[in-house]
Amino acid sequence: MTVSLANSPNELRTICELPTESALPRAARFLADLVKEPAFLGSQILPLLSEAKHADGWYVARRYDAPDGAYSLQVFVWPPGTGTKIHDHSSWGAYACALGTLLEERYDRTDDGSKAEHASLRKAWQLLWSPQDGTSTVLPGDGGIHRVGNPGESVAVSVHLYGPRLEEIDGRDYDPSRDYVCDRTED
Ligand SMILES: [Fe+2]
């Protein structure tokens, strides 16, 4: 399938109107196809590399949001050695690496969530993702606690699709060194 951002809004809306279990495999296929498309790589990804060399941290270089919040497509740039904190999202999410390699760590929660601002985590798995490896998907909230970073020595770029938010907040940030969790109010 040929994918491009020019014709993607309808496809993205269709995907994001599906129930989560149907949306995730469609989102995964969409992103895996998108990051392999030469026109997309040439126009949207490769131009990011020159500015990325001067960045200290990871950042969102491009963002395409549905006006009604039905989806958000975001292009992340990861200079070498950068990475997120452990977090989750209030929507489902999917991402595919378009350049370089990303390390994803995934966590399970071992407490019952009954104590405010308390969460104990157990690392479930970690995987390296390169463009040929397809798409990683996360469920909303506790079903998708993760951390993503670039352990390599060259810039990585990834494309993320988030479905509709199920809560007012964007997601949660976790600090396992003190079993702490808090709401995140902005990206
Ligand atoms: Fe995330």
Side-chain angles (χ1 to χ4, degrees):
M1 182 176 75
T2 298
V3 187
S4 78
L5 286 181
N7 65 22
S8 63
N10 288 339
E11 171 75 0
L12 292 176
R13 179 161 296 281
T14 301
I15 291 171
C16 294
E17 284 174 351
L18 295 168
T20 300
E21 64 272 20
S22 311
L24 280 175
R26 288 275 296 268
R29 198 161 59 239
F30 175 87
L31 292 174
D33 288 342
L34 185 64
V35 299
K36 281 188 272 184
E37 188 174 315
F40 174 74
L41 292 173
S43 65
Q44 303 288 320
I45 302 297
L46 294 176
L48 301 173
L49 289 180
S50 54
E51 69 182 37
K53 291 181 191 133
H54 306 294
D56 292 328
W58 61 269
Y59 60 96
V60 177
R62 301 188 195 283
R63 181 169 179 155
Y64 306 89
D65 290 341
D68 61 357
Y71 63 83
S72 179
L73 184 74
Q74 301 180 22
V75 178
F76 280 64
V77 174
W78 309 88
T82 61
T84 68
K85 295 182 284 192
I86 300 173
H87 65 280
D88 66 23
H89 301 272
S90 299
S91 61
W92 57 256
Y95 77 90
C97 200
L99 275 182
T101 301
L102 291 173
L103 175 67
E104 175 179 1
E105 298 171 19
R106 198 68 74 88
Y107 294 85
D108 291 329
R109 195 161 169 170
T110 59
D111 66 309
D112 62 7
S114 61
K115 196 170 151 193
E117 300 190 337
H118 175 91
S120 57
L121 301 182
R122 173 180 56 211
K123 189 168 173 179
W125 51 259
Q126 67 176 41
L127 276 176
L128 288 168
W129 294 92
S130 296
Q132 68 273 14
D133 296 326
T135 304
S136 180
T137 58
V138 292
L139 293 168
D142 291 356
I145 302 171
H146 62 287
R147 167 157 65 185
V148 178
N150 177 6
E153 295 182 357
S154 57
V155 172
V157 180
S158 53
V159 186
H160 301 233
L161 178 62
Y162 301 99
R165 271 191 204 179
L166 303 178
E167 299 177 47
E168 190 64 33
I169 59 164
D170 180 54
R172 293 174 187 80
D173 290 320
Y174 296 79
D175 180 355
S177 71
R178 52 193 182 112
D179 287 347
Y180 179 72
V181 61
C182 65
D183 292 348
R184 185 175 63 254
T185 51
E186 52 190 52
D187 300 300

